[in-house]
C-alpha cells in the first residue's frame, strides 16, 4: 500500500475514534457539568467528523480517485466513508505484485 494512503487512512481512523469517544462522553454524561461536557463533546464530535472526512478525501486523492463525489456521499450517507476505506485498502492489496517478493531467476 502506498505510504501516503496508509497514513491518511490511519489518521481517518484516529479521527473517527475521537468522534466516538466524544459521542460516548456526551451520551453517558450526568447532570453535573452537563453544559460544559456537552459543549466540549459537541465540539470534539464536530472536529472529529470533519477531520475524518478530510483524511479519507486525502487518501482518495493520493490513490488517484475522484474526491468530490465521495465527499458529497460521505456527508449525505454516514457509512460511505467505511466503503471508501475498504475499497482503498483492498485495491492496494489486489494490485499486481503487491506483497510479493522479487523472484531470483
Amino acid at each position: 500500500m502506498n505510504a501516503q494512503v496508509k497514513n491518511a487512512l490511519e489518521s481517518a481512523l484516529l479521527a473517527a475514534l475521537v468522534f466516538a469517544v466524544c459521542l460516548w462522553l456526551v451520551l453517558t454524561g450526568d447532570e453535573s457539568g452537563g453544559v460544559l461536557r456537552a459543549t466540549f463533546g459537541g465540539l470534539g464530535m464536530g472536529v472529529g467528523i470533519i477531520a475524518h472526512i478530510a483524511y479519507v478525501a486525502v487518501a482518495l486523492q493520493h490513490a488517484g480517485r475522484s474526491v468530490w463525489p465521495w465527499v458529497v456521499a460521505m456527508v449525505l450517507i454516514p457509512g460511505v466513508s467505511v466503503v471508501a476505506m475498504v475499497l482503498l485498502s483492498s485495491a492496494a492489496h489486489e494490485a499486481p505484485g503487491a506483497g510479493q517478493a522479487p523472484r531470483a531467476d
Side-chain angles (χ1 to χ4, degrees):
M1 180 181 292
N2 185 358
Q4 293 174 335
V5 174
K6 183 182 177 211
N7 288 339
L9 288 177
E10 290 171 353
S11 298
L13 286 174
L14 185 62
L17 180 65
V18 167
F19 173 80
V21 167
C22 289
L23 179 64
W24 177 74
L25 286 174
V26 168
L27 292 179
T28 60
D30 54 356
E31 291 300 319
S32 62
V35 173
L36 191 61
R37 179 181 245 178
T39 301
F40 284 115
L43 286 173
M45 287 177 8
V47 168
I49 197 69
I50 290 170
H52 176 73
I53 291 172
Y55 281 123
V56 172
V58 167
L60 287 165
Q61 183 179 17
H62 286 303
R65 298 190 180 245
S66 60
V67 175
W68 286 109
W70 282 99
V71 170
V72 170
M74 281 188 278
V75 169
L76 296 177
I77 305 168
V80 172
S81 65
V82 175
V83 173
M85 292 171 69
V86 167
L87 286 175
L88 286 173
S89 64
S90 68
H93 294 297
E94 291 176 3
Q100 295 178 356
R103 295 179 56 181
D105 289 333

